[in-house]
Amino acid sequence: MKTFKLKTLALAAALPAALVAGPAIAHDHAAKAAPAMPAATYAPITEAEVLAAQQAWGNALVAIATEYDTKGFAAAKKLAEQVVDGAYGYQMGPVLFKPTLAAAPQTFRTDREGAIAYFVGGNDRYKGDTGFAIKGWRAFEIDNAGILLKGNSATSMGNVTVIDAKGNRTTVDKTWGYVRGPDGKLRIVLHHSSLPYKAG
Amino acid sequence: MKTFKLKTLALAAALPAALVAGPAIAHDHAAKAAPAMPAATYAPITEAEVLAAQQAWGNALVAIATEYDTKGFAAAKKLAEQVVDGAYGYQMGPVLFKPTLAAAPQTFRTDREGAIAYFVGGNDRYKGDTGFAIKGWRAFEIDNAGILLKGNSATSMGNVTVIDAKGNRTTVDKTWGYVRGPDGKLRIVLHHSSLPYKAG
Amino acid sequence: MKTFKLKTLALAAALPAALVAGPAIAHDHAAKAAPAMPAATYAPITEAEVLAAQQAWGNALVAIATEYDTKGFAAAKKLAEQVVDGAYGYQMGPVLFKPTLAAAPQTFRTDREGAIAYFVGGNDRYKGDTGFAIKGWRAFEIDNAGILLKGNSATSMGNVTVIDAKGNRTTVDKTWGYVRGPDGKLRIVLHHSSLPYKAG
Amino acid sequence: MKTFKLKTLALAAALPAALVAGPAIAHDHAAKAAPAMPAATYAPITEAEVLAAQQAWGNALVAIATEYDTKGFAAAKKLAEQVVDGAYGYQMGPVLFKPTLAAAPQTFRTDREGAIAYFVGGNDRYKGDTGFAIKGWRAFEIDNAGILLKGNSATSMGNVTVIDAKGNRTTVDKTWGYVRGPDGKLRIVLHHSSLPYKAG
């Protein structure tokens, strides 16, 4: 983001220097970076934010898997709840989430419970879910085919590869859509993941 | 905004295929109104929200004036602070505010302190401010020339008339710009008010 | 969209009645519906527009298939080009398109040529494409799991079922993302389609 | 905005995995700047675009004044029409325009005719308009108090000073609001200009 310099120093000087405790998106005579303050909810989403959110998702997946392997199901579930609340937008309304391995009639997980069930399983209402996030993942790679920035939302599409402790790799086709949450941080409100198509 | 809970997939499955027919921002098979939940920060701003925010501004002005006349400066200032925090977006970053009667070098009040000083005066750093909101206002009228809805922001322009206890009327030309705050409610981030031009 | 009535008829009368030749999104004292004019490019996307765009996509698929069966490849390809140009946003930049049956290294069709190849095949650079749109489709059904409206963009997720002349049904999990084109009409800029997951 | 052409999928495949590193709105493996293509209508508005649009407005004002002084009213009016069509959004719907010197009942110029009348006068339906743009302006200065970027719209507020051939300076308080036009270029859809307040 470029900022701009003013001409009228008199006016700038008249304003208290610390007043613009604002996000990078809004500039002012006496603008100073205020790194502690999150972006305003209306600030346009940047590519850097999308890339950071993708990394956060991958790190969270590995963290849940590691938690499960070292501390067990309860700890992993608790972490998964925190991840879902922090990374997804279920607290803002429904989320469009089609997990890789979910099937009808529970293909789409538009509510929080369905997302957590998918990640860690152990929910009688989602008997098909064995817990995707607790399959021993230790690393990930993200290869974007493209990212679209649309102002107050953004979308990415590409391949995500998750890697377990033995080095086994699973690659999926993945779309993520983001908006800003009330705290200025990105939240996933769209997630479509699918196994690659194999001809015949 | 209406949000929803997906109660059961069974219900969803029982609905006809052509179902996504409701209003509002996020829809789902089993959509139910959830009136306690504020609009998602990404929900498009509606005209009804803009009109409600305008009425809230007018009501707040009358409330501050009445508080001053009945309870004095300290109470009026406290109320003004609440109004500024609730109706404007200073906590999201700078606000573009050109009050009717503000003059250089303090024409633009991009920070919270400058806005409060304009409304109630009594701030040594804004000696020209005598307190616009404490001038005995008892009623108001808003006559929009137009409203533009732009998705995550909206703008209105028109005349606002404030009326004191004696029936004296003051009409200004006013532009307001809105975004959603972190709580889903509209916040003013643009306010340009000016006295009508009178030819020579 | 609700419009609003004004108080001050004097001002309204002073404005020429036909002045607001505008889209439904912007209102004015003398506002009249101007049905011929498309929505302003900044007008918030409505659910009705999303549903209409979905129907248009399904109708186009059937039209291409019918064109192929009745007039042959050249006619079908020409129609597919028109459909891609009218329904997708390739002329606005890249589109994130993961077709149902596309595989690596050509999974993602971010350019126009890749989309047309997928729909009708016959392109040596996309040898895996046999033409999804020319498989005899005669009807379709769309069952949305949810639609998110985000101001200047919108996203839908759900099932789309395509039906051939013999009544054979193919259901896929589908995400579509829309923005407005320069003509005010919706364009698909995101399309992730996948076969339903079947547990081993 | 930079857009791109996907030249070959081979090139895309040859790129390293961590590639989505470019600037701008839409990224892709083989992203290349395509300077001839305008920004997608959904591309977030940047500060640089706002500053450029402000300069274009000032240059246009000087151009109209100069055209009037050297070629007369008809030429100036023709240029003003081009300027209004190129810089404002009247072709997208109503514009919220409160010119500096316009008075009731014609304070707000929500249609094209009212804007042109204000700039060059000579319109019997706007008898108060003497042509603001034909007053001998030769230079201008813009001093922003702040710019807010909101994704698909942006707003600026500050002082604009216009300077005539004799060096006389007129400073106004000015708010401009922008959206993208169908061609990807910014258009003014909000313009509130007022003479500075002078305390009695």
Side-chain angles (χ1 to χ4, degrees):
Chain A
M1 184 75 204
K2 292 150 196 161
T3 57
F4 66 95
K5 297 292 182 181
L6 27 142
K7 315 292 164 44
T8 311
L9 295 179
L11 178 54
L15 292 171
L19 84 167
V20 187
I25 192 58
H27 299 284
D28 192 279
H29 283 155
K32 295 286 177 183
M37 189 170 179
T41 53
Y42 60 82
I45 294 175
T46 67
E47 182 178 318
E49 288 180 302
V50 171
L51 296 175
Q54 292 181 334
Q55 291 299 311
W57 187 92
N59 288 330
L61 184 75
V62 170
I64 295 170
T66 304
E67 193 81 352
Y68 179 77
D69 290 342
T70 57
K71 300 183 183 173
F73 175 77
K77 184 178 180 185
K78 184 177 179 182
L79 181 56
E81 290 170 346
Q82 294 170 355
V83 165
V84 167
D85 290 340
Y88 289 80
Y90 288 107
Q91 296 181 336
M92 303 169 73
V95 170
L96 307 182
F97 182 16
K98 205 296 281 179
T100 317
L101 307 180
Q106 297 183 313
T107 303
F108 305 107
R109 307 299 174 90
T110 53
D111 70 344
R112 178 179 183 271
E113 182 184 7
I116 293 167
Y118 181 75
F119 282 123
V120 295
N123 185 328
D124 284 343
R125 297 168 62 176
Y126 293 89
K127 291 186 183 298
D129 290 355
T130 56
F132 176 76
I134 57 174
K135 303 297 186 192
W137 312 119
R138 288 296 180 272
F140 67 95
E141 294 173 5
I142 297 175
D143 183 11
N144 289 294
I147 296 174
L148 297 184
L149 304 178
K150 290 166 282 183
N152 66 331
S153 68
T155 316
S156 68
M157 178 180 278
N159 287 125
V160 174
T161 301
V162 289
I163 306 164
D164 69 16
K166 298 178 182 173
N168 295 316
R169 301 168 64 90
T170 300
T171 297
V172 300
D173 301 331
K174 194 173 291 282
T175 291
W176 277 309
Y178 302 91
V179 298
R180 280 193 194 289
D183 57 0
K185 297 179 184 173
L186 297 197
R187 291 289 188 288
I188 297 169
V189 291
L190 169 69
H191 184 168
H192 187 147
S193 188
S194 55
L195 295 174
Y197 169 71
K198 293 184 181 178
Chain B
M1 172 199 159
K2 290 150 194 159
T3 54
F4 78 110
K5 297 275 179 175
L6 241 200
K7 300 294 167 43
T8 67
L9 267 294
L11 176 55
L15 290 175
L19 37 97
V20 185
I25 185 61
H27 299 283
D28 192 278
H29 284 159
K32 294 285 178 184
M37 189 169 177
T41 53
Y42 60 82
I45 293 175
T46 67
E47 184 177 314
E49 290 180 301
V50 171
L51 295 176
Q54 292 181 333
Q55 291 298 309
W57 187 93
N59 288 330
L61 184 74
V62 169
I64 295 170
T66 303
E67 193 81 351
Y68 178 76
D69 291 341
T70 58
K71 299 183 184 172
F73 175 77
K77 183 177 180 185
K78 185 176 178 183
L79 181 56
E81 290 170 346
Q82 294 171 355
V83 166
V84 166
D85 289 341
Y88 289 79
Y90 288 107
Q91 295 181 336
M92 303 170 73
V95 171
L96 306 183
F97 183 15
K98 204 295 283 179
T100 317
L101 308 180
Q106 296 183 314
T107 302
F108 305 108
R109 306 299 175 89
T110 52
D111 71 341
R112 179 180 182 268
E113 181 185 9
I116 293 168
Y118 182 76
F119 282 124
V120 295
N123 185 327
D124 284 344
R125 296 167 63 174
Y126 293 88
K127 291 186 183 300
D129 289 356
T130 56
F132 177 76
I134 58 174
K135 303 298 188 190
W137 312 120
R138 288 297 179 273
F140 66 95
E141 294 174 3
I142 296 174
D143 184 12
N144 287 295
I147 296 175
L148 299 183
L149 304 179
K150 289 167 282 184
N152 66 332
S153 67
T155 316
S156 68
M157 180 181 279
N159 286 125
V160 173
T161 300
V162 290
I163 306 165
D164 69 17
K166 297 178 182 174
N168 294 315
R169 301 168 64 90
T170 300
T171 297
V172 300
D173 301 331
K174 194 174 290 281
T175 292
W176 276 310
Y178 301 91
V179 299
R180 281 193 195 287
D183 56 1
K185 297 179 183 172
L186 297 197
R187 291 290 188 287
I188 297 169
V189 291
L190 170 68
H191 184 168
H192 187 148
S193 188
S194 55
L195 295 175
Y197 169 70
K198 292 184 181 178
Chain C
M1 185 73 207
K2 292 151 197 159
T3 57
F4 67 95
K5 298 292 181 181
L6 26 142
K7 316 290 163 45
T8 311
L9 296 177
L11 177 54
L15 293 171
L19 84 167
V20 188
I25 192 59
H27 299 284
D28 192 279
H29 282 155
K32 295 287 178 182
M37 190 169 179
T41 53
Y42 60 82
I45 294 176
T46 67
E47 182 178 317
E49 290 180 301
V50 171
L51 295 175
Q54 292 180 334
Q55 292 298 310
W57 187 91
N59 288 330
L61 184 75
V62 170
I64 295 170
T66 304
E67 192 81 351
Y68 179 76
D69 290 341
T70 58
K71 299 183 183 173
F73 175 77
K77 183 178 181 185
K78 184 177 178 182
L79 180 56
E81 290 170 345
Q82 294 171 355
V83 165
V84 167
D85 291 339
Y88 288 80
Y90 288 107
Q91 296 180 337
M92 302 170 72
V95 171
L96 306 183
F97 183 16
K98 203 299 279 180
T100 317
L101 308 180
Q106 297 183 314
T107 302
F108 305 107
R109 306 300 174 90
T110 52
D111 71 343
R112 179 180 182 270
E113 181 183 7
I116 293 168
Y118 181 75
F119 282 124
V120 295
N123 184 328
D124 285 344
R125 297 168 61 176
Y126 293 88
K127 290 187 184 299
D129 289 354
T130 56
F132 176 76
I134 58 175
K135 303 296 187 192
W137 313 118
R138 288 297 180 273
F140 66 96
E141 294 173 5
I142 297 174
D143 183 11
N144 288 294
I147 296 176
L148 298 183
L149 305 179
K150 290 167 283 184
N152 65 332
S153 68
T155 317
S156 68
M157 180 181 277
N159 286 125
V160 173
T161 301
V162 290
I163 306 164
D164 70 14
K166 299 177 181 173
N168 296 315
R169 302 167 64 89
T170 300
T171 296
V172 300
D173 300 332
K174 194 174 291 281
T175 292
W176 277 309
Y178 301 91
V179 297
R180 280 194 195 289
D183 56 0
K185 297 178 183 173
L186 297 197
R187 293 288 190 288
I188 298 168
V189 291
L190 170 69
H191 184 167
H192 188 147
S193 189
S194 55
L195 294 174
Y197 169 71
K198 292 184 182 179
Chain D
M1 170 201 159
K2 291 150 195 160
T3 54
F4 78 111
K5 297 277 178 175
L6 240 199
K7 299 295 165 41
T8 68
L9 267 292
L11 176 55
L15 289 175
L19 36 95
V20 184
I25 185 60
H27 300 282
D28 194 277
H29 283 156
K32 294 287 179 181
M37 190 171 178
T41 54
Y42 61 82
I45 293 176
T46 66
E47 184 178 313
E49 289 180 302
V50 171
L51 296 175
Q54 292 182 333
Q55 292 298 310
W57 188 93
N59 288 330
L61 184 76
V62 169
I64 295 170
T66 304
E67 193 82 351
Y68 179 76
D69 291 341
T70 57
K71 298 183 183 173
F73 174 77
K77 183 178 180 184
K78 184 177 178 183
L79 181 56
E81 290 170 346
Q82 295 171 354
V83 165
V84 167
D85 290 341
Y88 288 80
Y90 287 107
Q91 295 180 337
M92 302 169 74
V95 171
L96 306 183
F97 182 16
K98 204 295 284 178
T100 317
L101 308 180
Q106 296 183 313
T107 302
F108 305 108
R109 307 300 175 87
T110 52
D111 71 340
R112 179 181 183 269
E113 181 185 7
I116 294 168
Y118 181 76
F119 282 124
V120 295
N123 185 327
D124 285 344
R125 296 168 63 176
Y126 293 89
K127 290 186 183 301
D129 289 355
T130 56
F132 176 77
I134 58 174
K135 304 298 188 190
W137 313 119
R138 289 296 179 272
F140 66 95
E141 294 174 4
I142 297 175
D143 184 13
N144 288 293
I147 296 175
L148 298 183
L149 305 178
K150 290 167 282 184
N152 67 331
S153 68
T155 316
S156 68
M157 180 180 278
N159 286 126
V160 174
T161 300
V162 289
I163 306 164
D164 69 15
K166 296 178 183 174
N168 295 316
R169 300 167 64 90
T170 299
T171 296
V172 299
D173 300 331
K174 194 175 291 281
T175 292
W176 276 309
Y178 301 91
V179 299
R180 280 193 195 288
D183 56 0
K185 297 179 183 172
L186 297 196
R187 292 288 190 288
I188 298 169
V189 291
L190 169 69
H191 184 169
H192 187 147
S193 188
S194 56
L195 295 175
Y197 169 70
K198 292 185 181 178

